[in-house]
């Protein structure tokens, strides 16, 4: 333990003030699935919602749900499905844009806290289908905010993204940095979520915390993300598409580290800040906070690919391409606020995380090399 940084042991060994009833949106998704499992295993009651859209393979989404005891009955809209594995888990297929069913769910369940992870993901896809991002990430989020406002929610935690930093070149990227110049619609919707949350914290006193995730990877991950794409291409003897000719780095953050940070944040709603100096990440007049959650150890893209090659025992065929619109060359998280306030810094080394993902991928897809 590093006492200087006040980094605490995993919160599995810590008791929250009380077990809670939590709404998690996006529980058929990568992060939402892992968060639901974690909170259920510590004894919280969880209601999960997801629209199970076809942005990527829905079979993977149903497999995640099955892992938490939710049957294929989940494909029925607005129909609660009880988990066969966790007595405290109920799933409902629902769009965040469906205001009336969402409001009815809040009225029925009387949640303590809400963790909003549902969103239309993907920087590149936002260039092709912008309306999906407005519907889910803007309209859906204001519906969540309104439901929290009218149902006495103690703490709203929501997913933002490192993409809000755009082409900022000062590294590491800090929550005190200006983020007024997003370079994709996806990033613009995430920045909008932070502004909308601040407004509701200021007007209605709702404690809100936004989490800027940095390149999350690991078992059960998204097929449109680099690790999944690279692994699949190498196994199938297809070329790995390497953008910006490989001159990129990412702050890859292992899924278990993300979940540890989210759980700790859920358990610690923000208070109004004591500071008087303006800071984009907090406010002295509203219970509002923004944190980065990243490994804080950027890895060069070519080194990342080498790590995948080593874990697979197989070399990649490489296709070097120019930078894609909306993408950024580098990310690097400053997590000093997370360490100071929450006592946590993501610890997993990227080579260890890659090995765990490869092990899962081989087992899940029945791959032999």
């Amino acid at each position: 333990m590093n006492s200087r940084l006040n980094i605490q042991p995993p919160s599995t060994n810590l008791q929250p003030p009380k077990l809670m009833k939590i709404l998690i949106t996006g529980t058929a998704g990568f992060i939402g699935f892992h968060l639901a499992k974690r909170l259920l295993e510590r004894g919280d009651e969880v209601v999960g919602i997801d629209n199970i859209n076809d942005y990527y393979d829905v079979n993977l989404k149903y497999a995640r749900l099955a892992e938490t005891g939710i049957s294929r009955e989940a494909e029925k809209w607005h129909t609660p499905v009880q988990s066969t594995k966790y007595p405290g888990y109920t799933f409902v297929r629902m769009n965040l844009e469906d205001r009336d069913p969402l409001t009815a769910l809040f009225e029925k369940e009387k949640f303590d806290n809400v963790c909003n992870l549902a969103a239309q993901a993907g920087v590149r896809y936002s260039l092709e289908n912008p309306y999906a991002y407005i519907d889910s990430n803007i309209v859906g989020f204001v519906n969540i905010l309104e439901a929290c406002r009218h149902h006495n929610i103690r703490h709203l935690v929501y997913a933002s993204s490192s993409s809000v930093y755009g082409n900022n070149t000062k590294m590491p990227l800090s929550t005190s940095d200006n983020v007024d110049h997003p370079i994709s619609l996806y990033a613009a919707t995430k920045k909008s979520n932070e502004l909308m949350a601040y407004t509701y914290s200021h007007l209605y006193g709702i404690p809100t915390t936004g989490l800027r995730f940095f390149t999350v990877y690991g078992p059960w991950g998204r097929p449109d993300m680099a690790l999944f794409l690279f692994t699949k291409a190498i196994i199938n003897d297809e070329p790995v598409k390497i953008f910006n000719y490989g001159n990129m780095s990412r702050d890859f953050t292992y899924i278990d580290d993300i979940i540890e940070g989210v759980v700790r944040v859920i358990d610690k709603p923000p208070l109004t800040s004591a500071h008087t100096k303006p800071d984009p990440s907090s406010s002295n007049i509203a219970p509002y906070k923004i944190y980065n959650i990243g490994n804080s150890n950027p890895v060069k893209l070519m080194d990342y690919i080498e790590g995948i090659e080593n874990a697979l025992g197989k070399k990649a065929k490489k296709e070097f391409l120019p930078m894609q619109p909306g993408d950024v060359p580098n990310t690097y998280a400053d997590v000093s606020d997370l360490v100071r306030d929450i006592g946590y810094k993501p610890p997993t080394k990227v080579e260890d995380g890659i090995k765990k993902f490869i092990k899962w991928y081989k087992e899940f897809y029945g791959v032999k090399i």
Side-chain angles (χ1 to χ4, degrees):
M1 181 185 297
N2 189 327
S3 58
R4 184 174 65 85
L5 293 178
N6 190 31
I7 297 175
Q8 301 173 8
S11 61
T12 46
N13 299 324
L14 302 174
Q15 282 297 320
K18 65 180 281 293
L19 296 179
M20 297 174 288
K21 189 171 193 177
I22 303 174
L23 172 66
I24 304 175
T25 73
T27 51
F30 176 31
I31 301 174
F33 153 73
H34 281 280
L35 179 63
K37 279 190 67 178
R38 175 64 178 276
L39 292 175
L40 288 163
E41 285 166 0
R42 81 170 187 180
D44 289 310
E45 186 176 352
V46 172
V47 175
I49 65 174
D50 200 295
N51 65 3
I52 319 180
N53 68 26
D54 61 359
Y55 169 63
Y56 61 79
D57 182 13
V58 297
N59 292 315
L60 177 58
K61 297 182 179 185
Y62 282 117
R64 292 184 187 127
L65 290 172
E67 190 74 5
T68 52
I70 300 297
S71 72
R72 195 76 183 209
E73 289 288 305
E75 65 188 0
K76 296 179 181 178
W77 289 91
H78 306 150
T79 304
V81 178
Q82 180 64 45
S83 170
T84 58
K85 186 174 181 180
Y86 298 101
Y89 185 33
T90 304
F91 176 84
V92 184
R93 188 177 186 185
M94 184 184 298
N95 282 311
L96 295 186
E97 305 95 286
D98 297 341
R99 187 192 310 173
D100 291 342
L102 185 68
T103 301
L105 186 70
F106 270 76
E107 289 175 353
K108 176 187 175 185
E109 299 293 348
K110 297 179 171 45
F111 302 112
D112 296 308
N113 295 337
V114 174
C115 188
N116 184 57
L117 301 173
Q120 179 56 59
V123 168
R124 294 164 190 165
Y125 187 62
S126 70
L127 306 180
E128 304 168 17
N129 193 356
Y131 293 107
Y133 291 77
I134 300 303
D135 291 343
S136 180
N137 301 8
I138 302 297
V139 176
F141 192 62
V142 79
N143 288 344
I144 288 288
L145 287 168
E146 276 291 290
C148 290
R149 170 193 172 191
H150 291 291
H151 294 90
N152 301 314
I153 299 302
R154 299 175 187 174
H155 191 193
L156 167 63
V157 177
Y158 61 95
S160 186
S161 168
S162 63
S163 67
V164 301
Y165 290 106
N167 278 326
N168 283 17
T169 57
K170 182 184 74 65
M171 298 290 165
L173 298 165
S174 169
T175 54
S176 63
D177 293 340
N178 182 289
V179 289
D180 289 339
H181 301 94
I183 61 171
S184 70
L185 183 63
Y186 170 71
T189 64
K190 289 300 186 178
K191 168 64 175 176
S192 299
N193 288 171
E194 295 177 0
L195 295 171
M196 294 159 73
Y198 173 77
T199 302
Y200 273 70
S201 291
H202 172 70
L203 290 174
Y204 308 115
I206 303 168
T208 68
T209 303
L211 301 176
R212 293 175 180 169
F213 297 138
F214 280 69
T215 315
V216 189
Y217 74 100
W220 298 96
R222 277 174 32 204
D224 63 322
M225 297 292 285
L227 180 54
F228 216 111
L229 291 169
F230 294 166
T231 298
K232 182 179 179 181
I234 295 170
I235 288 172
N236 293 335
D237 293 315
E238 297 170 351
V240 170
K241 293 182 179 180
I242 302 172
F243 294 103
N244 204 34
Y245 306 103
N247 298 313
M248 302 176 76
S249 66
R250 286 288 180 273
D251 202 345
F252 295 101
T253 314
Y254 189 63
I255 182 62
D256 290 0
D257 295 348
I258 290 287
I259 298 305
E260 180 65 35
V262 174
V263 170
R264 290 182 184 228
V265 167
I266 288 172
D267 291 342
K268 191 171 182 181
L271 305 172
T272 52
S273 166
H275 70 73
T276 56
K277 183 179 178 181
D279 186 333
S281 70
S282 59
S283 170
N284 63 335
I285 58 173
Y288 167 88
K289 188 64 185 174
I290 300 288
Y291 292 110
N292 288 334
I293 301 188
N295 194 250
S296 199
N297 184 27
V299 176
K300 293 179 180 179
L301 182 58
M302 298 310 296
D303 292 340
Y304 194 65
I305 293 171
E306 184 179 354
I308 301 170
E309 291 174 324
N310 292 339
L312 286 171
K314 186 176 181 180
K315 288 292 183 181
K317 297 177 181 178
K318 301 179 180 70
E319 180 182 0
F320 291 92
L321 298 166
M323 180 75 87
Q324 286 204 319
D327 216 344
V328 298
N330 305 297
T331 62
Y332 177 5
D334 177 350
V335 295
S336 55
D337 286 358
L338 190 71
V339 172
R340 181 195 65 223
D341 297 346
I342 309 299
Y344 183 66
K345 182 179 185 297
T348 303
K349 295 179 180 178
V350 70
E351 55 267 31
D352 295 333
I354 289 173
K355 289 176 184 176
K356 291 177 182 179
F357 170 81
I358 297 296
K359 181 177 183 294
W360 168 82
Y361 187 97
K362 288 179 176 178
E363 292 174 353
F364 186 76
Y365 289 104
V367 171
K368 295 182 179 179
I369 299 177

